[in-house]
Amino acid sequence: MTSIGLDAPVRLVSAHGHQPYGTIAAALRDAADGDEILIAPGRYEETVRIAGRVTLAAADADGGDTPAPDGPPPGAAVTLAAPAPGRPALEVLPGARPTLRGVTVRGAAADQPAALLSGGATDWTGGGVRYGRLEVRGDAALRMADAALSGAALAGVLLRTTGAVHFTGCLLADIDGTGLVVGGTTRVELERTEIRAAAGSGIRVREDARAVLRGCLVDRPGRSGLLTEDRAAALLTDCRIRDTGGEAVRALGSSPLPEPGTPDAADTDDATGGVVLRGCELTGPAADAIGVTGPAQLQVTASVLRDCAGSGVAAGDGARVRLAAVAVVRTGATALVAHGSAALTAREVTVRDSAANGLLATGTAAVDLTDSELTGSRYSAVHLGERTTTVLTRVRVGATPEHGVHAVDEATVTLTDARLADCGMSGLDLAGAARAEASGLAVTRCLSGITAGADGALKLTDCEVTDAERAGITLGPGDAEVSGGRILRPGTAGLVFPTGATARVTDTEIREATGSGLVVAGEAAPRVTGVRIVRPGKNGLILDGGAAGVFEDVDIVRPGFPAVHLADRAAPTLRRIRVRDAAEDLSAEPGARPEVVDCVSIRVKSARWPAPETAGGIPGPKPAGSGAGQSSGAGQASRSEGASRSEGSAGSPASEETLEELLGELDRLVGLARVKQDVASLVKLMRTVQRRESAGLAAPPLSRHLVFAGNPGTGKTTVARLYGRILAAVGLLERGHLVEADRSSLVGEYVGHTGPKTQRVFQEAMGGVLFIDEAYSLAPVQGGGGNDFAQEAIATLVKLMEDHRDSVVVIVAGYPNEMEHFIDSNPGLSSRFNRTLMFEDYDTEELLRIVERHAASHQYDLTDAARASLTGYFELLPRDGRFGNGRSARQVFQAMTERQAYRVSEIETPSESELMTLSELDVPELPEPPR
């Protein structure tokens, strides 16, 4: 080794003076605590082991101590090189307290430790580690500043220590693996530190480790920028993660986040739990900006997620995610995703320019979104499916070619003071059995305002729909209620009740509808109270043939056509209808059968109803054929026809149902020939029993309880609902309603819980049908779940069925083989369930018909080529455990609409035909077989 300005390459500075040495190891052997070893610039091939409190410092050309540089040292600094693989160049032993200045350590192999700190407390400034990793173990503590670490393999830095570790102004670069690995119970802090071009993840925190990063940069890692696992915790403040090969932040596990409102949940500078990002910027990830799954919990505040190839935030099964003041901009997939059992809570979040949905929730995920905005989504801004629960409070949605909020399956959504605008389809759309409750909702400039599906439930309170291109609100046959609110300037009708609708509407105002104010399709029977209809372009109220319902305290002002038009066989109750400033108050076709009570007309040119001062003694219109019921009907039919035909649709029966109507509804279901025959036979048997009882003869034994055996999606729930209504129509049940239950509804969690729980569900079904799906789970073939609690539920059911045998019908449903075992598991069950209805799988033709019905009900047209492609699709679709019969057909239809929307979005100004047509291009590919 050549000296530069020194009498020897190494000089020991102590209280006794200066001593020259040829090697660093030799100087260390003679050094006492507090001594300093000055090292001339150059390369030293030896293993340096430090056991005491000494200083190793690079000397300048004159032999003086080199000041600490502002950045990484130049290449001429001191380099300690490991002489051979298997040993690090630098070791710090337990109890040592070294200080290193301007010293660079170089290993003998990139995948081995170049510097190993197994104890003590090291203060290291300048220099760094090359070609090998820095490893800190045991109880070692480290403070490293202005150092560069590069060229390692597997990991640049490995920390597994109980001591404190702190990096300031350091650079980790060109690591052929993970930049920084933190494990055990390590606590590490990084300030103004950069991690560049790691082949693996930038930082990996696992086990019970804690990492705090302030003002740091993670640039171009091959995988994730930050990866957390197990029970780790990480806090990132004012950090940037950019251009990652995978997720910018990937949390597979973490410790729990502090609960909101607790002291530890405040803006602490320590990683107290979970993964926390504050004031960070995540840009350009090749996957999701943030991916959270498993038991991981993550919180992001005042941050930006931008230009993601995947989603902005994807929360998977079991994850808990909180967002506050976060912007998610330009994502290649859905901006916010919650699936499985994830919980996502977001406040003041802005989502812009998502290539798919703004928010997507599936599985049983729970989402709470407040004071947020979602604009520029390519698909529906909010799509909610399966059994998710979502709360949207003061959320603003805009500029989407599809729905503003679209809820399907059994999703539940609550909207409070939300704003939905400029949606290419409905502002709020419910399909399947989805449920929504909205208060103070405003829907503006959408194709349709609010649309409710067939089986779900909708409750609107003080909501407003403005400038819809089509109907303001459409309420399907599901449970629907509208209270308060306004519908302003709809392009067609204000409120539409399709076939089968029985909605309740109170205290609502409809103004300036281009079409009619209220449109009631055949077989619909709503109840409308306290509605004010002002200046409708057509009728104020129009009822199609066979429509019914109750309409009371309704004001109709300045209608363009007759205020009320009744088609043939319409039979409503019109109570206290007030018509003002109209050419005609009532137009009724000959077969109409209205009941009119206290209706009045004011300033009506051709009035059939009296003025207010004479209304008390004037009867309403008589039935058709008696004079009043026939007048002016035919003359006005042509003027009203356009409104009634274009604004009504199909559905289920009115509130007063006949047996013939119900059997007709059953017959219209796709497939199920054997089930229809069995139900018809049961009806004949019930009628015979009734006739014998009426004649005073003894009734034969008759069990109305049934077993529905079949695979998923074969219509068991639909037929059960119809069966209850049929029993009500023939007088064997008081109400005929359906109460659905499963194992979780009946079986308690502790001793004494099951009996009352089962009784409560049974009580809800009194007068109707109790439908128990997957009933075999109460007595599984292999045991595992058929505990004493489940047996208690079965025993309770058997007793209740005996005590109330004339008041409740019980239907148990599930797979055929499992249901046979379930019935045989208890003698009380086998004696009460002696009739099984088999629900066979749908064949290809029937699956195609199901898709066609979904298409028709959602205003889509299938091309012949699409039908042919669907036929081939269903022929080849594997009928394995993932196949869901009618559910699979519905999912195929939904997939077709999504593919069509993506295809049509490429057309600058698509025609209405292009928006409505589903072609062979929209038929999805067959799913990959499971591996």
Side-chain angles (χ1 to χ4, degrees):
M1 177 68 207
T2 303
S3 168
I4 303 178
L6 297 174
D7 52 3
V10 179
R11 184 170 59 190
L12 175 63
V13 180
S14 67
H16 306 290
H18 295 190
Q19 294 177 274
Y21 289 89
T23 65
I24 301 170
L28 280 171
R29 281 194 296 270
D30 293 342
D33 282 351
D35 287 353
E36 180 178 34
I37 298 174
L38 295 178
I39 309 168
R43 176 187 176 97
Y44 297 80
E45 290 193 2
E46 56 179 300
T47 297
V48 175
R49 305 179 80 236
I50 303 175
R53 183 167 59 85
V54 296
T55 297
L56 271 66
D60 60 19
D62 297 324
D65 188 2
T66 301
D70 292 333
V78 171
T79 299
L80 308 184
R87 291 287 299 274
L90 172 67
E91 288 188 64
V92 177
L93 304 179
R97 300 185 64 83
T99 298
L100 283 73
R101 293 197 295 271
V103 174
T104 296
V105 174
R106 180 180 177 85
D111 61 352
Q112 295 179 6
L116 175 61
L117 282 56
S118 57
T122 301
D123 191 334
W124 193 337
T125 303
V129 180
R130 294 175 184 168
Y131 198 62
R133 68 177 173 269
L134 168 63
E135 193 164 316
V136 184
R137 291 187 170 274
D139 63 351
L142 169 66
R143 295 188 68 85
M144 177 175 267
D146 304 317
L149 303 95
S150 63
L154 302 181
V157 177
L158 176 60
L159 306 178
R160 193 180 183 87
T161 177
T162 59
V165 179
H166 198 129
F167 292 89
T168 303
C170 295
L171 172 66
L172 283 72
D174 301 319
I175 309 298
D176 188 15
T178 304
L180 171 64
V181 178
V182 190
T185 59
T186 302
R187 302 294 190 270
V188 61
E189 295 186 18
L190 291 84
E191 295 188 47
R192 305 188 318 280
T193 291
E194 298 182 6
I195 301 175
R196 294 180 179 271
S201 296
I203 302 171
R204 181 183 181 187
V205 189
R206 57 191 306 245
E207 298 170 325
D208 294 293
R210 301 287 187 268
V212 176
L213 287 75
R214 303 185 189 92
C216 295
L217 169 67
V218 180
D219 185 35
R220 293 174 291 114
R223 296 183 181 176
S224 303
L226 169 66
L227 171 64
T228 68
E229 299 171 280
D230 307 316
R231 299 160 301 280
L235 169 63
L236 281 67
T237 303
D238 299 327
C239 294
R240 291 174 295 155
I241 302 177
R242 64 191 186 196
D243 299 333
T244 57
E247 300 91 340
V249 174
R250 186 182 187 195
L252 300 180
S254 77
S255 57
L257 283 168
E259 289 299 321
T262 61
D264 286 342
D267 289 340
T268 176
D269 288 334
D270 193 15
T272 56
V275 180
V276 179
L277 281 70
R278 298 184 188 133
C280 295
E281 184 176 302
L282 313 182
T283 59
D288 302 330
I290 296 175
V292 190
T293 191
Q297 300 189 17
L298 177 140
Q299 177 175 302
V300 185
T301 58
S303 297
V304 176
L305 320 179
R306 190 175 66 241
D307 298 318
C308 318
S311 296
V313 177
D317 203 18
R320 298 292 180 266
V321 176
R322 303 176 198 159
L323 308 176
V326 174
V328 184
V329 183
R330 292 188 298 276
T331 58
T334 293
L336 304 177
V337 178
H339 61 88
S341 59
L344 171 64
T345 302
R347 302 284 186 274
E348 300 178 18
V349 170
T350 300
V351 172
R352 293 200 306 272
D353 300 331
S354 164
N357 304 110
L359 167 65
L360 171 66
T362 61
T364 59
V367 178
D368 189 334
L369 194 62
T370 302
D371 294 323
S372 298
E373 181 176 359
L374 299 89
T375 59
S377 303
R378 292 281 296 274
Y379 298 165
S380 294
V382 177
H383 183 95
L384 312 171
E386 299 183 64
R387 296 187 177 182
T388 54
T389 302
T390 302
V391 177
L392 305 175
T393 305
R394 296 184 297 280
V395 170
R396 296 169 300 284
V397 168
T400 170
E402 296 190 358
H403 303 294
V405 176
H406 190 206
V408 301
D409 301 324
E410 299 176 52
T412 299
V413 57
T414 302
L415 301 100
T416 304
D417 297 332
R419 299 289 181 267
L420 315 177
D422 302 311
C423 305
M425 296 182 179
S426 297
L428 170 62
D429 183 78
L430 304 184
R435 305 173 66 89
E437 186 169 335
S439 174
L441 170 66
V443 180
T444 306
R445 296 185 305 276
C446 299
L447 182 67
S448 299
I450 298 172
T451 307
D455 301 321
L458 173 66
K459 183 176 181 180
L460 302 175
T461 304
D462 297 327
C463 298
E464 182 172 285
V465 176
T466 305
D467 296 325
E469 186 176 335
R470 295 183 182 173
I473 299 177
T474 300
L475 303 175
D479 182 19
E481 179 179 345
V482 179
S483 175
R486 301 195 302 171
I487 303 172
L488 306 178
R489 299 180 298 279
T492 57
L495 253 169
V496 177
F497 303 94
T499 301
T502 58
R504 303 170 300 285
V505 179
T506 59
D507 303 327
T508 299
E509 183 176 43
I510 302 171
R511 283 186 170 269
E512 300 178 16
T514 302
S516 297
L518 300 174
V519 175
V520 186
E523 311 303 328
R527 187 175 189 95
V528 177
T529 305
V531 170
R532 180 175 172 82
I533 304 168
V534 180
R535 291 191 298 276
K538 296 182 179 179
N539 308 105
L541 167 62
I542 180 169
L543 281 83
D544 212 345
V550 177
F551 304 84
E552 56 187 6
D553 297 314
V554 175
D555 285 346
I556 302 175
V557 181
R558 296 179 63 184
F561 288 4
V564 178
H565 176 76
L566 307 179
D568 183 43
R569 297 182 298 107
T573 296
L574 306 177
R575 185 178 295 122
R576 296 184 298 280
I577 307 296
R578 294 175 294 275
V579 178
R580 292 179 173 85
D581 302 317
E584 190 173 356
D585 51 9
L586 175 66
S587 166
E589 294 181 9
R593 296 288 190 275
E595 177 187 353
V596 179
V597 180
D598 296 337
C599 295
V600 298
S601 295
I602 303 169
R603 295 185 298 277
V604 174
K605 293 180 181 178
S606 178
R608 299 179 59 191
W609 294 336
E613 60 272 12
T614 60
I618 302 297
K622 299 176 184 179
S626 60
Q630 300 180 42
S631 66
S632 74
Q636 296 299 333
S638 61
R639 297 181 66 195
S640 306
E641 185 173 6
S644 66
R645 297 297 179 263
S646 66
E647 295 161 4
S649 60
S652 62
S655 55
E656 293 296 331
E657 301 173 311
T658 68
L659 180 60
E660 289 70 22
E661 290 171 335
L662 292 170
L663 291 176
E665 185 176 342
L666 175 65
D667 190 59
R668 288 192 294 273
L669 296 177
V670 175
L672 306 177
R674 184 173 171 184
V675 171
K676 294 172 183 176
Q677 182 179 354
D678 289 343
V679 172
S681 299
L682 278 170
V683 170
K684 292 177 182 178
L685 176 60
M686 293 172 192
R687 281 185 151 176
T688 301
V689 170
Q690 284 182 313
R691 289 179 182 132
R692 286 182 60 88
E693 290 176 335
S694 299
L697 301 175
L702 175 64
S703 175
R704 299 173 296 176
H705 310 301
L706 298 175
V707 177
F708 282 8
N711 291 324
T714 48
K716 296 187 290 295
T717 305
T718 300
V719 174
R721 187 175 288 110
L722 264 172
Y723 184 61
R725 291 158 60 194
I726 288 171
L727 293 182
V730 298
L732 291 177
L733 281 178
E734 181 182 354
R735 296 172 57 194
H737 66 293
L738 184 79
V739 173
E740 297 184 58
D742 55 16
R743 176 187 169 89
S744 65
S745 307
L746 304 172
V747 179
E749 301 172 1
Y750 50 83
V751 174
H753 190 203
T754 296
K757 194 171 184 180
T758 303
Q759 290 172 6
R760 184 164 54 252
V761 174
F762 196 92
Q763 187 64 36
E764 291 177 10
M766 292 291 284
V769 174
L770 175 58
F771 180 79
I772 305 175
D773 199 11
E774 298 180 352
Y776 51 81
S777 63
L778 297 172
V781 177
Q782 303 299 331
N787 54 31
D788 291 338
F789 295 164
Q791 294 301 321
E792 182 185 353
I794 293 175
T796 304
L797 276 174
V798 169
K799 184 177 187 306
L800 290 170
M801 290 167 66
E802 178 62 28
D803 294 344
H804 304 280
R805 56 181 176 270
D806 295 328
S807 301
V808 175
V809 167
V810 178
I811 298 176
V812 292
Y815 294 104
N817 292 338
E818 285 84 347
M819 290 308 299
E820 183 177 349
H821 167 79
F822 169 68
I823 298 302
D824 293 341
S825 69
N826 186 293
L829 294 176
S830 57
S831 65
R832 286 164 178 80
F833 294 99
N834 52 27
R835 185 183 296 270
T836 298
L837 271 60
M838 294 297 301
F839 287 71
E840 298 175 351
D841 288 347
Y842 293 110
D843 60 25
T844 296
E845 181 181 349
E846 290 166 342
L847 292 169
L848 178 59
R849 286 170 58 196
I850 293 172
V851 173
E852 290 177 326
R853 290 196 177 186
H854 281 299
S857 66
H858 289 82
Q859 296 180 300
Y860 285 98
D861 296 325
L862 287 170
T863 65
D864 291 340
R867 291 184 178 88
S869 294
L870 275 173
T871 299
Y873 178 92
F874 286 128
E875 287 287 352
L876 298 174
L877 185 65
R879 303 296 176 99
D880 53 18
R882 295 186 293 174
F883 177 69
N885 282 287
R887 187 178 302 116
S888 291
R890 185 183 72 240
Q891 291 169 346
V892 168
F893 167 69
Q894 182 175 338
M896 291 180 70
T897 63
E898 292 174 354
R899 291 166 68 95
Q900 186 252 23
Y902 184 80
R903 176 171 57 80
V904 172
S905 68
E906 302 297 327
I907 304 173
E908 185 173 350
T909 56
S911 65
E912 182 169 332
S913 174
E914 288 169 326
L915 290 170
M916 295 176 64
T917 300
L918 297 175
S919 75
E920 71 277 10
L921 299 175
D922 304 318
V923 177
E925 295 82 11
L926 286 166
E928 292 288 336
R931 297 181 179 179

